[in-house]
Amino acid sequence: MALIDIAETMSVLEHLGNWASASRSTISNRFSSLSYLARLSPRIIKIDQSFVRPVDDSLRNDTLLETIISLGRKLDMTMLAEGIETEPQFRRLRRLGCELGQGYLFSPAVPNHEVEAMVGQIFAS
């Protein structure tokens, strides 16, 4: 969802109400104003892959990821990390308290028509 006009976005979300549970990519490298966390009250914060697998491994990057996850948890939001490719990335995110993740470590991108069967298999086992 593009957040170009915050008033219009809030109006659409209010109109949708319980029909849709919106996950908003509020914390990303494209659009990261923290004021939107207060104004939109998202249930899920999707952490951009640039924070999960940064170009350089540094204490600064680790601190930033830890702070993003901590902020979301303190605001009672579910944290979802995208772009998880390795076990060490997954373990680090779990240790920091990130509850959900997506990426090639779990599955490559799946076409829409295959998702229902895939989910059915997961819950059948």
Side-chain angles (χ1 to χ4, degrees):
M1 173 184 307
L3 297 178
I4 296 169
D5 180 348
I6 187 65
E8 176 70 17
T9 300
M10 290 180 68
S11 174
V12 169
L13 290 173
E14 287 173 12
H15 179 72
L16 289 174
N18 291 330
W19 286 30
S21 175
S23 169
R24 296 158 209 133
S25 297
T26 305
I27 303 293
S28 74
N29 61 354
R30 292 170 276 140
F31 200 89
S32 60
S33 175
L34 294 176
S35 66
Y36 291 99
L37 288 176
R39 295 183 72 188
L40 295 176
S41 299
R43 293 182 203 135
I44 298 174
I45 298 295
K46 190 172 186 181
I47 303 168
D48 190 79
Q49 63 187 352
S50 64
F51 296 109
V52 174
R53 46 187 170 100
V55 175
D56 62 336
D57 288 327
S58 69
L59 180 57
R60 187 175 190 89
N61 289 332
D62 284 343
T63 302
L64 185 55
L65 179 61
E66 182 177 352
T67 302
I68 291 168
I69 294 170
S70 176
L71 175 64
R73 292 179 54 85
K74 287 182 179 188
L75 294 173
D76 199 29
M77 297 172 182
T78 300
M79 303 306 293
L80 185 153
E82 69 173 11
I84 303 171
E85 295 182 345
T86 67
E87 283 289 335
Q89 290 170 342
F90 176 65
R91 285 193 301 271
R92 181 169 126 235
L93 289 160
R94 293 295 292 163
R95 180 179 44 79
L96 293 173
C98 185
E99 299 141 305
L100 302 174
Q102 65 185 54
Y104 278 94
L105 179 64
F106 310 110
S107 172
V110 177
N112 288 342
H113 66 276
E114 293 179 20
V115 172
E116 188 175 326
M118 186 177 179
V119 171
Q121 286 178 329
I122 291 170
F123 286 106
S125 46

